[in-house]
Short mmCIF file of all heavy atoms in Angstrom, two decimals:
data_model
loop_
_atom_site.label_atom_id
_atom_site.label_comp_id
_atom_site.label_asym_id
_atom_site.label_seq_id
_atom_site.Cartn_x
_atom_site.Cartn_y
_atom_site.Cartn_z
N GLY A 1 114.16 113.60 94.88
CA GLY A 1 113.89 114.83 94.16
C GLY A 1 115.09 115.75 94.06
O GLY A 1 115.15 116.62 93.19
N LYS A 2 116.08 115.55 94.90
CA LYS A 2 117.29 116.38 94.89
C LYS A 2 118.44 115.73 94.12
O LYS A 2 119.46 116.37 93.89
CB LYS A 2 117.74 116.65 96.33
CG LYS A 2 116.76 117.50 97.11
CD LYS A 2 117.20 117.66 98.54
CE LYS A 2 116.17 118.45 99.33
NZ LYS A 2 116.54 118.57 100.74
N PHE A 3 118.29 114.48 93.72
CA PHE A 3 119.36 113.80 92.99
C PHE A 3 119.60 114.49 91.65
O PHE A 3 118.65 114.83 90.94
CB PHE A 3 119.02 112.33 92.74
CG PHE A 3 119.06 111.44 93.95
CD1 PHE A 3 118.59 110.14 93.86
CD2 PHE A 3 119.54 111.87 95.17
CE1 PHE A 3 118.60 109.29 94.95
CE2 PHE A 3 119.56 111.03 96.27
CZ PHE A 3 119.09 109.74 96.17
N GLU A 4 120.86 114.64 91.31
CA GLU A 4 121.24 115.21 90.02
C GLU A 4 122.11 114.21 89.28
O GLU A 4 122.90 113.52 89.92
CB GLU A 4 122.00 116.53 90.23
CG GLU A 4 121.17 117.64 90.84
CD GLU A 4 120.11 118.21 89.91
OE1 GLU A 4 120.23 118.02 88.69
OE2 GLU A 4 119.16 118.82 90.40
N PRO A 5 122.04 114.13 88.03
CA PRO A 5 121.11 114.84 87.15
C PRO A 5 119.73 114.20 87.20
O PRO A 5 119.59 112.98 87.28
CB PRO A 5 121.74 114.67 85.75
CG PRO A 5 122.51 113.39 85.85
CD PRO A 5 122.97 113.28 87.27
N ARG A 6 118.72 115.02 87.17
CA ARG A 6 117.34 114.54 87.25
C ARG A 6 117.00 113.59 86.10
O ARG A 6 116.21 112.68 86.27
CB ARG A 6 116.36 115.71 87.25
CG ARG A 6 116.33 116.42 88.57
CD ARG A 6 115.32 117.54 88.57
NE ARG A 6 115.11 117.92 89.97
CZ ARG A 6 113.98 118.37 90.43
NH1 ARG A 6 112.95 118.54 89.62
NH2 ARG A 6 113.85 118.69 91.69
N GLU A 7 117.61 113.85 84.95
CA GLU A 7 117.37 113.00 83.79
C GLU A 7 117.76 111.55 84.06
O GLU A 7 117.21 110.63 83.47
CB GLU A 7 118.14 113.51 82.56
CG GLU A 7 117.63 114.82 82.02
CD GLU A 7 118.20 116.04 82.76
OE1 GLU A 7 118.99 115.89 83.74
OE2 GLU A 7 117.83 117.16 82.38
N GLU A 8 118.70 111.37 84.95
CA GLU A 8 119.19 110.02 85.25
C GLU A 8 118.42 109.35 86.38
O GLU A 8 118.27 108.13 86.40
CB GLU A 8 120.67 110.09 85.62
CG GLU A 8 121.32 108.74 85.80
CD GLU A 8 122.81 108.85 86.04
OE1 GLU A 8 123.42 109.89 85.73
OE2 GLU A 8 123.37 107.86 86.56
N TYR A 9 117.90 110.14 87.32
CA TYR A 9 117.29 109.55 88.51
C TYR A 9 115.79 109.82 88.64
O TYR A 9 114.99 108.90 88.73
CB TYR A 9 118.01 110.04 89.78
CG TYR A 9 119.47 109.66 89.78
CD1 TYR A 9 120.45 110.61 89.54
CD2 TYR A 9 119.85 108.35 90.00
CE1 TYR A 9 121.79 110.26 89.53
CE2 TYR A 9 121.19 107.98 89.99
CZ TYR A 9 122.15 108.95 89.74
OH TYR A 9 123.46 108.59 89.73
N LEU A 10 115.42 111.08 88.67
CA LEU A 10 114.02 111.43 88.94
C LEU A 10 113.10 111.14 87.76
O LEU A 10 112.06 110.51 87.92
CB LEU A 10 113.91 112.90 89.35
CG LEU A 10 112.50 113.38 89.67
CD1 LEU A 10 111.90 112.60 90.84
CD2 LEU A 10 112.50 114.87 89.96
N TYR A 11 113.48 111.61 86.58
CA TYR A 11 112.59 111.48 85.43
C TYR A 11 112.30 110.03 85.06
O TYR A 11 111.14 109.71 84.76
CB TYR A 11 113.13 112.28 84.25
CG TYR A 11 113.27 113.77 84.54
CD1 TYR A 11 114.16 114.55 83.82
CD2 TYR A 11 112.54 114.39 85.54
CE1 TYR A 11 114.31 115.91 84.08
CE2 TYR A 11 112.68 115.74 85.81
CZ TYR A 11 113.56 116.49 85.08
OH TYR A 11 113.70 117.82 85.35
N PRO A 12 113.29 109.13 85.10
CA PRO A 12 112.95 107.72 84.84
C PRO A 12 111.98 107.16 85.88
O PRO A 12 111.08 106.38 85.54
CB PRO A 12 114.30 107.00 84.89
CG PRO A 12 115.30 108.06 84.56
CD PRO A 12 114.75 109.32 85.16
N LEU A 13 112.14 107.57 87.13
CA LEU A 13 111.21 107.13 88.18
C LEU A 13 109.79 107.58 87.86
O LEU A 13 108.82 106.83 88.02
CB LEU A 13 111.64 107.68 89.54
CG LEU A 13 110.64 107.53 90.68
CD1 LEU A 13 110.45 106.06 91.03
CD2 LEU A 13 111.07 108.33 91.89
N MET A 14 109.67 108.80 87.36
CA MET A 14 108.36 109.37 87.09
C MET A 14 107.64 108.67 85.93
O MET A 14 106.44 108.84 85.78
CB MET A 14 108.49 110.87 86.81
CG MET A 14 108.93 111.66 88.04
SD MET A 14 109.26 113.39 87.69
CE MET A 14 107.59 113.98 87.42
N LYS A 15 108.37 107.90 85.17
CA LYS A 15 107.78 107.17 84.05
C LYS A 15 107.31 105.77 84.45
O LYS A 15 106.71 105.08 83.64
CB LYS A 15 108.78 107.06 82.90
CG LYS A 15 109.10 108.40 82.26
CD LYS A 15 110.14 108.23 81.17
CE LYS A 15 110.51 109.59 80.59
NZ LYS A 15 111.55 109.46 79.57
N THR A 16 107.54 105.37 85.68
CA THR A 16 107.19 104.01 86.11
C THR A 16 105.72 103.91 86.51
O THR A 16 105.08 104.89 86.89
CB THR A 16 108.05 103.56 87.30
OG1 THR A 16 107.77 104.39 88.44
CG2 THR A 16 109.54 103.62 86.98
N VAL A 17 105.21 102.70 86.42
CA VAL A 17 103.83 102.42 86.81
C VAL A 17 103.64 102.69 88.30
O VAL A 17 102.62 103.27 88.72
CB VAL A 17 103.44 100.97 86.46
CG1 VAL A 17 102.09 100.61 87.05
CG2 VAL A 17 103.46 100.76 84.96
N SER A 18 104.63 102.33 89.11
CA SER A 18 104.49 102.53 90.56
C SER A 18 104.39 104.02 90.90
O SER A 18 103.63 104.41 91.79
CB SER A 18 105.63 101.87 91.32
OG SER A 18 106.87 102.33 90.86
N TYR A 19 105.13 104.86 90.18
CA TYR A 19 105.02 106.31 90.40
C TYR A 19 103.63 106.80 90.02
O TYR A 19 103.00 107.54 90.78
CB TYR A 19 106.09 107.05 89.59
CG TYR A 19 106.01 108.55 89.75
CD1 TYR A 19 106.70 109.19 90.77
CD2 TYR A 19 105.23 109.34 88.90
CE1 TYR A 19 106.63 110.57 90.92
CE2 TYR A 19 105.14 110.70 89.05
CZ TYR A 19 105.85 111.32 90.06
OH TYR A 19 105.75 112.67 90.23
N ARG A 20 103.15 106.37 88.87
CA ARG A 20 101.82 106.78 88.41
C ARG A 20 100.74 106.28 89.37
O ARG A 20 99.77 107.00 89.64
CB ARG A 20 101.54 106.25 86.99
CG ARG A 20 102.49 106.75 85.95
CD ARG A 20 102.19 108.18 85.60
NE ARG A 20 103.10 108.60 84.54
CZ ARG A 20 103.47 109.84 84.34
NH1 ARG A 20 103.01 110.79 85.10
NH2 ARG A 20 104.29 110.14 83.38
N ASP A 21 100.91 105.07 89.88
CA ASP A 21 99.94 104.53 90.85
C ASP A 21 99.92 105.37 92.12
O ASP A 21 98.85 105.68 92.65
CB ASP A 21 100.27 103.08 91.20
CG ASP A 21 99.93 102.10 90.09
OD1 ASP A 21 99.23 102.50 89.13
OD2 ASP A 21 100.35 100.94 90.18
N ALA A 22 101.11 105.74 92.61
CA ALA A 22 101.19 106.56 93.82
C ALA A 22 100.57 107.93 93.57
O ALA A 22 99.84 108.45 94.41
CB ALA A 22 102.64 106.70 94.28
N GLU A 23 100.85 108.50 92.40
CA GLU A 23 100.29 109.80 92.05
C GLU A 23 98.76 109.73 91.99
O GLU A 23 98.07 110.61 92.51
CB GLU A 23 100.86 110.25 90.70
CG GLU A 23 100.48 111.65 90.31
CD GLU A 23 101.12 112.07 89.00
OE1 GLU A 23 101.32 111.22 88.11
OE2 GLU A 23 101.40 113.27 88.88
N THR A 24 98.24 108.68 91.40
CA THR A 24 96.79 108.50 91.31
C THR A 24 96.18 108.32 92.70
O THR A 24 95.14 108.91 93.01
CB THR A 24 96.45 107.29 90.42
OG1 THR A 24 96.97 107.52 89.11
CG2 THR A 24 94.95 107.05 90.35
N ALA A 25 96.84 107.53 93.54
CA ALA A 25 96.35 107.32 94.91
C ALA A 25 96.31 108.64 95.67
O ALA A 25 95.34 108.91 96.40
CB ALA A 25 97.23 106.31 95.63
N LEU A 26 97.32 109.47 95.50
CA LEU A 26 97.33 110.77 96.17
C LEU A 26 96.22 111.67 95.63
O LEU A 26 95.53 112.34 96.41
CB LEU A 26 98.70 111.45 96.00
CG LEU A 26 99.85 110.78 96.73
CD1 LEU A 26 101.18 111.40 96.29
CD2 LEU A 26 99.68 110.89 98.23
N ASP A 27 96.05 111.68 94.31
CA ASP A 27 94.97 112.48 93.71
C ASP A 27 93.60 112.05 94.25
O ASP A 27 92.76 112.90 94.59
CB ASP A 27 94.98 112.36 92.19
CG ASP A 27 96.14 113.09 91.54
OD1 ASP A 27 96.75 113.96 92.20
OD2 ASP A 27 96.44 112.79 90.37
N LEU A 28 93.37 110.76 94.33
CA LEU A 28 92.09 110.26 94.84
C LEU A 28 91.88 110.63 96.30
O LEU A 28 90.77 110.98 96.71
CB LEU A 28 92.00 108.74 94.64
CG LEU A 28 91.89 108.28 93.19
CD1 LEU A 28 92.00 106.76 93.11
CD2 LEU A 28 90.59 108.76 92.57
N THR A 29 92.95 110.57 97.08
CA THR A 29 92.85 110.94 98.49
C THR A 29 92.54 112.42 98.64
O THR A 29 91.70 112.81 99.47
CB THR A 29 94.15 110.58 99.23
OG1 THR A 29 94.38 109.18 99.09
CG2 THR A 29 94.08 110.95 100.70
N ILE A 30 93.17 113.24 97.82
CA ILE A 30 92.90 114.68 97.85
C ILE A 30 91.44 114.95 97.47
O ILE A 30 90.76 115.77 98.10
CB ILE A 30 93.87 115.43 96.93
CG1 ILE A 30 95.28 115.39 97.52
CG2 ILE A 30 93.42 116.87 96.69
CD1 ILE A 30 96.39 115.79 96.56
N MET A 31 90.96 114.26 96.45
CA MET A 31 89.56 114.42 96.04
C MET A 31 88.60 114.00 97.15
O MET A 31 87.62 114.69 97.44
CB MET A 31 89.27 113.60 94.78
CG MET A 31 89.87 114.19 93.54
SD MET A 31 89.76 113.14 92.05
CE MET A 31 88.12 112.49 92.14
N ARG A 32 88.90 112.86 97.79
CA ARG A 32 88.04 112.36 98.87
C ARG A 32 88.03 113.35 100.03
O ARG A 32 86.99 113.62 100.62
CB ARG A 32 88.55 110.98 99.32
CG ARG A 32 87.48 110.08 99.82
CD ARG A 32 87.89 108.64 100.01
NE ARG A 32 89.13 108.47 100.75
CZ ARG A 32 90.21 107.84 100.27
NH1 ARG A 32 90.22 107.34 99.06
NH2 ARG A 32 91.28 107.72 101.01
N TYR A 33 89.19 113.91 100.35
CA TYR A 33 89.28 114.90 101.43
C TYR A 33 88.46 116.14 101.06
O TYR A 33 87.71 116.66 101.89
CB TYR A 33 90.74 115.28 101.67
CG TYR A 33 90.92 116.31 102.76
CD1 TYR A 33 90.89 115.94 104.10
CD2 TYR A 33 91.09 117.66 102.45
CE1 TYR A 33 91.04 116.89 105.10
CE2 TYR A 33 91.24 118.60 103.44
CZ TYR A 33 91.22 118.21 104.77
OH TYR A 33 91.35 119.14 105.75
N GLY A 34 88.59 116.60 99.82
CA GLY A 34 87.84 117.77 99.37
C GLY A 34 86.35 117.56 99.46
O GLY A 34 85.60 118.45 99.85
N GLU A 35 85.92 116.36 99.09
CA GLU A 35 84.49 116.03 99.18
C GLU A 35 84.02 116.08 100.63
O GLU A 35 82.92 116.57 100.91
CB GLU A 35 84.22 114.66 98.58
CG GLU A 35 84.37 114.62 97.08
CD GLU A 35 84.38 113.21 96.50
OE1 GLU A 35 84.31 112.23 97.29
OE2 GLU A 35 84.46 113.08 95.28
N LYS A 36 84.84 115.59 101.54
CA LYS A 36 84.48 115.59 102.96
C LYS A 36 84.39 117.03 103.48
O LYS A 36 83.47 117.37 104.23
CB LYS A 36 85.54 114.80 103.72
CG LYS A 36 85.19 114.44 105.11
CD LYS A 36 84.32 113.22 105.13
CE LYS A 36 84.43 112.57 106.48
NZ LYS A 36 83.75 111.33 106.57
N VAL A 37 85.34 117.87 103.07
CA VAL A 37 85.32 119.27 103.49
C VAL A 37 84.09 119.97 102.92
O VAL A 37 83.40 120.70 103.63
CB VAL A 37 86.62 119.99 103.04
CG1 VAL A 37 86.50 121.50 103.21
CG2 VAL A 37 87.81 119.46 103.81
N ASP A 38 83.82 119.73 101.64
CA ASP A 38 82.62 120.33 101.02
C ASP A 38 81.35 119.92 101.75
O ASP A 38 80.47 120.74 102.00
CB ASP A 38 82.51 119.93 99.55
CG ASP A 38 83.53 120.60 98.67
OD1 ASP A 38 84.16 121.58 99.12
OD2 ASP A 38 83.71 120.14 97.52
N GLN A 39 81.26 118.64 102.08
CA GLN A 39 80.08 118.14 102.79
C GLN A 39 79.95 118.81 104.15
O GLN A 39 78.86 119.24 104.53
CB GLN A 39 80.17 116.62 102.97
CG GLN A 39 79.00 116.04 103.72
CD GLN A 39 79.15 114.54 103.96
OE1 GLN A 39 80.10 113.92 103.50
NE2 GLN A 39 78.22 113.97 104.67
N ALA A 40 81.06 118.93 104.87
CA ALA A 40 81.02 119.57 106.19
C ALA A 40 80.60 121.03 106.06
O ALA A 40 79.81 121.53 106.88
CB ALA A 40 82.39 119.46 106.87
N LEU A 41 81.10 121.72 105.04
CA LEU A 41 80.72 123.12 104.85
C LEU A 41 79.25 123.25 104.48
O LEU A 41 78.57 124.16 104.95
CB LEU A 41 81.60 123.76 103.76
CG LEU A 41 83.05 123.98 104.15
CD1 LEU A 41 83.85 124.46 102.94
CD2 LEU A 41 83.18 124.95 105.31
N ARG A 42 78.76 122.32 103.64
CA ARG A 42 77.33 122.35 103.29
C ARG A 42 76.48 122.12 104.53
O ARG A 42 75.47 122.79 104.74
CB ARG A 42 77.02 121.30 102.22
CG ARG A 42 77.41 121.71 100.82
CD ARG A 42 76.82 120.80 99.77
NE ARG A 42 77.15 119.40 99.97
CZ ARG A 42 78.24 118.80 99.49
NH1 ARG A 42 79.12 119.49 98.80
NH2 ARG A 42 78.47 117.52 99.71
N GLU A 43 76.87 121.15 105.36
CA GLU A 43 76.11 120.86 106.57
C GLU A 43 76.16 122.04 107.53
O GLU A 43 75.15 122.38 108.14
CB GLU A 43 76.65 119.60 107.25
CG GLU A 43 76.33 118.33 106.47
CD GLU A 43 77.01 117.10 107.02
OE1 GLU A 43 77.74 117.21 108.04
OE2 GLU A 43 76.83 116.02 106.44
N LYS A 44 77.33 122.67 107.66
CA LYS A 44 77.44 123.83 108.53
C LYS A 44 76.59 124.97 107.99
O LYS A 44 75.91 125.66 108.75
CB LYS A 44 78.90 124.28 108.63
CG LYS A 44 79.11 125.41 109.58
CD LYS A 44 80.57 125.74 109.76
CE LYS A 44 80.71 126.85 110.79
NZ LYS A 44 82.09 127.10 111.12
N GLY A 45 76.60 125.16 106.66
CA GLY A 45 75.78 126.20 106.05
C GLY A 45 74.30 125.95 106.29
O GLY A 45 73.55 126.86 106.58
N ALA A 46 73.88 124.69 106.20
CA ALA A 46 72.48 124.34 106.44
C ALA A 46 72.12 124.62 107.88
O ALA A 46 71.02 125.11 108.17
CB ALA A 46 72.23 122.88 106.10
N THR A 47 73.02 124.34 108.80
CA THR A 47 72.78 124.61 110.21
C THR A 47 72.64 126.10 110.47
O THR A 47 71.76 126.55 111.19
CB THR A 47 73.92 124.03 111.08
OG1 THR A 47 74.02 122.63 110.81
CG2 THR A 47 73.67 124.24 112.55
N ILE A 48 73.53 126.88 109.86
CA ILE A 48 73.48 128.33 110.03
C ILE A 48 72.18 128.88 109.44
O ILE A 48 71.52 129.72 110.04
CB ILE A 48 74.71 129.00 109.39
CG1 ILE A 48 75.97 128.65 110.20
CG2 ILE A 48 74.54 130.51 109.30
CD1 ILE A 48 77.26 129.05 109.55
#
């Protein structure tokens, strides 16, 4: 991310399938974590 010029190093990487796959995997993990937090909060709310 610090390599310059970004047009030569970072941006071409961001166009690759492996980058998109990693980005998707991270998005899915964030969603799964959010669902777990929401569930815990709902359960805690029900307990209260």
